Every structure is written in C-alpha cells, then in structure tokens.
Amino acid sequence: MDKSGNLNKKSGNKTGMRNTRAAPKKGAQVLGDIIGSCLTPLCRKQGFASSDILRHWKQIVGPQFADCTEPERIRWPRRTEGEGFRPGTLVLHCEGAQSVFLQHEQATIIQRVNAYFGYPAVDRIQILQRPMRAKPDRHPDPLRPLTRSETVALDMQLEGVKDDKMAEALRRLGHAVLVKS
C-alpha cells in the first residue's frame, strides 16, 4: 500500500509484498518428479524417507533381484533418550524360490542399500515370502507390416534424408505412426 492507502500496483496485494510463488513450468515435465513429491508422505509412513528407494530399486539390487523382490518398509528401532542413531531393518517381499538366493546375498544387498543412502541406514533384512504384484508388460505389441502403398509413401517422404541412421530412425517412427493411425 502506498501512503494514500491504495493497493500497490506492482504486486496487486494489500501488503505491498511481491508474490513469491513461482510461475508454473512450461512444457513437458517428468511424471516421476511430480508424483514423487506426492508419494513422499505415504512412503514416510512405511519408514522410507522418500519414494526414491522404490523408484530406484532396480538399480540398487541389480537385475538378479529387481523383478522378484520389493521393499515394503524400513522398520526403525525405538530409541531412548540420549541414545544415538541405530540402523533399521529392511522388510522385503520376495517370491518363494528366490528367497533362498536372497538370503545368501543379504550382505551385498545391505551394502548396496547403505551405499544408496550414503550412511549405514540398514543392518538387517527381513524376508517375507509373498507373491509379487503383477507388473505391467513393458514390451509393446509388435507392429503390423506396412502395406505396399504405405511403404512407398514413407520412402518418398524420406528421400531427402542423407544420414542413414537418421533415415532408419525416421522410418521406424513413420512405421509406428502409420500403423497407429
């Protein structure tokens, strides 16, 4: 507000303070970044500081255990007053037969999880033998072959492309677009 009691024209509010809210980002955003911040409170209830361990589980444990294990929570021990930090227990779901192999690799997984966190967050693993939730198939259905007229039309559009790798990439893209439309 200025001396006469009118609104400050720059900010449009009565306090005369500028609006500090950031303008929304324009363009595409990574969905994981948007949803990750929404999932963080839910993950904290399960003992995870954030949803990052769930998102990066495959990189943490490697391909051998990524598809047959899933972290459920980290169970932290109760602390009394004056007691320092104590590592927690990582509770994992694992499919039946793989649990034997997982038991033999517990020390390696503990090291990998602690390396991910950057401090000794976990000192034990509790394995629960349960079936895994069905994960969506990541391989799309194969594309149907192009008709002769579609192939000719696509080749005509790619005539001016001199780079072979670029032409092949554009051919695959064109194939997918023509089949889907």
Side-chain angles (χ1 to χ4, degrees):
M1 248 196 226
D2 60 9
K3 293 179 182 178
S4 63
N6 295 327
L7 287 177
N8 187 335
K9 292 180 183 177
K10 287 183 182 177
S11 65
N13 61 20
K14 290 183 179 182
T15 62
M17 303 290 291
R18 290 188 177 209
N19 190 355
T20 58
R21 183 186 294 184
K25 293 181 181 178
K26 294 184 179 182
Q29 295 179 347
V30 177
L31 186 60
D33 294 342
I34 298 168
I35 292 177
S37 61
C38 296
L39 290 178
T40 298
L42 297 173
C43 290
R44 284 196 177 126
K45 287 183 180 180
Q46 296 299 321
F48 298 120
S50 68
S51 63
D52 289 344
I53 190 170
L54 300 173
R55 269 194 308 199
H56 299 287
W57 185 245
K58 187 172 186 171
Q59 289 85 9
I60 294 171
V61 296
Q64 181 182 6
F65 294 113
D67 293 332
C68 64
T69 62
E70 184 175 76
E72 180 183 304
R73 76 175 90 162
I74 296 178
R75 196 169 45 239
W76 300 102
R78 294 187 186 262
R79 290 191 292 177
T80 59
E81 193 172 315
E83 187 177 15
F85 174 79
R86 291 185 8 218
T89 301
L90 176 63
V91 180
L92 290 179
H93 289 212
C94 183
E95 291 182 347
Q98 292 294 324
S99 64
V100 175
F101 299 112
L102 183 64
Q103 282 180 335
H104 291 290
E105 295 293 328
Q106 276 187 349
T108 303
I109 293 174
I110 289 171
Q111 288 176 344
R112 288 181 177 185
V113 169
N114 288 338
Y116 175 78
F117 282 118
Y119 65 96
V122 173
D123 66 348
R124 294 182 330 165
I125 294 179
Q126 178 184 1
I127 301 170
L128 303 176
Q129 289 186 356
R130 296 185 182 163
M132 299 296 297
R133 284 184 261 155
K135 294 183 181 175
D137 186 18
R138 297 183 184 207
H139 301 290
D141 295 332
L143 299 174
R144 69 164 172 82
L146 293 177
T147 64
R148 187 172 184 91
S149 62
E150 289 172 333
T151 304
V152 169
L154 184 58
D155 288 340
M156 287 177 56
Q157 289 180 341
L158 296 175
E159 278 180 2
V161 180
K162 297 182 190 215
D163 185 10
D164 291 338
K165 288 182 180 180
M166 178 62 79
E168 186 56 37
L170 289 171
R171 187 176 319 285
R172 287 191 308 268
L173 177 63
H175 183 169
V177 170
L178 287 171
V179 168
K180 302 272 180 173
S181 60

